[in-house]
Amino acid sequence: MHILVIKLPKDTINKFNLSNSLSVVTGGSGLLGVKHVEALLDADSDVVVLDINESEFATHAASIHNKYNKEVTFIQCDIGNEDSVIAAKNNIYKIYNKYPDILVNNAAIDAKFDQYSNMKDSRLEYFSLDRWKKELSVGLTGTFICCKIFGEQMSIKRKGVIVNIASHYGLVGPDQRIYGIKDDVQEVKPVSYPVVKHAVIGLTRYLATYWAKNNIRCNALAPGGVFNNHDDNFVRKFCDLIPMNRMAEPDEYKASLLYLCSDGSSYMNGEVLVVDGGLTTW
């Protein structure tokens, strides 16, 4: 007896294939930046990392090469400096003879609440203008510059995808109770971070309408809190805010990023994909 086996076409799965594409990830040396790079490599995209910290990315480069048998191009770049981004764009063209098809704006200064010796430094009353300018120059101005420089090339070839990494703090304000215990000197989540992430969502929606006619989609990914060896007390308080009662693992955003970068989301534009364990649904 002969058994006829019919293989159905994998049209849906194939939409997530990024072969022959070139992706740029800013801030690719960070905790989630490295995972964004891996997600794009999983889908067979070539990847360029733009970051100011070359030595930090070097610690990941060997393991990435061993896992994927593929080189990731690193270009040292200060994304808050337009000339630096233009130079990176030109360098990319020299290497690949093309401009990027996908841009993932991930770079930001996520200042940890325990980073500063003076606990008051993070509080609005004592937040310095220099620090405000520095953190906005990376997370907001840098995102704008990269969208402007790389998005222009996408508009010329009439094809491209931009994904801006926002945060659940781009949708709600931080619950400052989880960051300290003494009201008068309590460390807090700095004002700069939620301001940047709210603004990035606004930029996303602007670009989604501005370049839609040129076949460019722009969406945002809003991750929730990621566990990164936080102390138990902080984790407990944070998890109490989350319906799933846990923080995310770094790998849990890879599929979401791939969805936004690929044709799997071909009719999605100007939206925010929130992946926060339900924190913003209360």
Side-chain angles (χ1 to χ4, degrees):
M1 183 176 67
H2 296 284
I3 299 176
L4 178 63
V5 177
I6 300 175
K7 292 186 178 181
L8 297 176
K10 297 182 179 180
D11 290 346
T12 301
I13 297 299
N14 289 339
K15 288 181 179 293
F16 295 87
N17 188 304
L18 298 178
S19 58
N20 301 318
S21 69
L22 176 61
S23 302
V24 166
V25 179
T26 69
S29 298
L31 177 67
L32 285 186
V34 171
K35 299 302 178 181
H36 299 332
V37 170
E38 290 180 353
L40 293 163
L41 290 172
D42 282 335
D44 207 25
S45 177
D46 290 322
V47 181
V48 176
V49 167
L50 301 187
D51 202 303
I52 202 165
N53 194 334
E54 185 173 7
S55 60
E56 186 173 351
F57 184 74
T59 63
H60 305 287
S63 62
I64 289 175
H65 182 267
N66 290 339
K67 183 175 181 179
Y68 295 97
N69 194 29
K70 195 171 187 177
E71 295 291 340
V72 172
T73 299
F74 180 91
I75 298 177
Q76 192 169 34
C77 179
D78 175 5
I79 64 166
N81 182 305
E82 188 167 6
D83 289 338
S84 183
V85 176
I86 291 172
K89 178 201 71 172
N90 294 337
N91 198 1
I92 290 169
Y93 190 83
K94 288 178 182 177
I95 296 170
Y96 293 95
N97 197 33
K98 64 180 292 187
Y99 293 112
D101 308 289
I102 297 166
L103 170 64
V104 178
N105 285 305
N106 172 73
I109 298 176
D110 183 7
K112 307 304 179 187
F113 62 89
D114 59 353
Q115 183 177 350
Y116 298 91
S117 57
N118 181 351
M119 290 192 296
K120 290 184 178 181
D121 284 354
S122 65
R123 298 185 65 86
L124 183 62
E125 301 92 322
Y126 307 101
F127 201 82
S128 74
L129 187 57
D130 285 343
R131 183 176 169 189
W132 169 267
K133 290 178 178 178
K134 179 181 179 181
E135 296 183 7
L136 263 68
S137 74
V138 177
L140 181 55
T141 302
T143 297
F144 159 72
I145 290 173
C146 288
C147 288
K148 173 186 173 181
I149 300 303
F150 293 111
E152 180 185 16
Q153 297 303 321
M154 293 178 183
S155 71
I156 291 171
K157 66 180 178 181
R158 304 186 68 83
K159 184 180 180 182
V161 174
I162 298 173
V163 178
N164 295 324
I165 305 301
S167 165
H168 66 288
Y169 284 150
L171 301 167
V172 297
D175 186 338
Q176 303 291 8
R177 294 172 297 180
I178 70 175
Y179 293 103
I181 54 175
K182 296 182 179 179
D183 290 340
D184 56 341
V185 293
Q186 177 189 2
E187 296 173 278
V188 296
K189 191 70 173 180
V191 61
S192 53
Y193 191 76
V195 167
V196 164
K197 296 305 184 181
H198 274 79
V200 162
I201 290 174
L203 177 62
T204 298
R205 289 172 173 154
Y206 180 92
L207 295 174
T209 58
Y210 187 80
W211 272 324
K213 65 183 182 298
N214 297 81
N215 198 31
I216 298 171
R217 297 186 298 108
C218 184
N219 293 292
L221 174 63
V226 182
F227 179 73
N228 188 21
N229 298 316
H230 298 90
D231 69 70
D232 292 342
N233 186 47
F234 174 81
V235 172
R236 178 184 56 77
K237 290 189 289 186
F238 203 150
C239 290
D240 283 345
L241 303 177
I242 303 170
M244 292 181 70
N245 199 37
R246 68 175 180 86
M247 299 180 73
E249 296 295 332
D251 278 343
E252 290 191 280
Y253 298 109
K254 293 170 71 173
S256 299
L257 179 79
L258 179 55
Y259 168 69
L260 292 176
C261 290
S262 71
D263 285 343
S265 59
S266 58
Y267 196 56
M268 188 172 185
N269 188 34
E271 298 298 335
V272 183
L273 180 58
V274 184
V275 189
D276 65 357
L279 184 149
T280 54
T281 61
W282 290 112

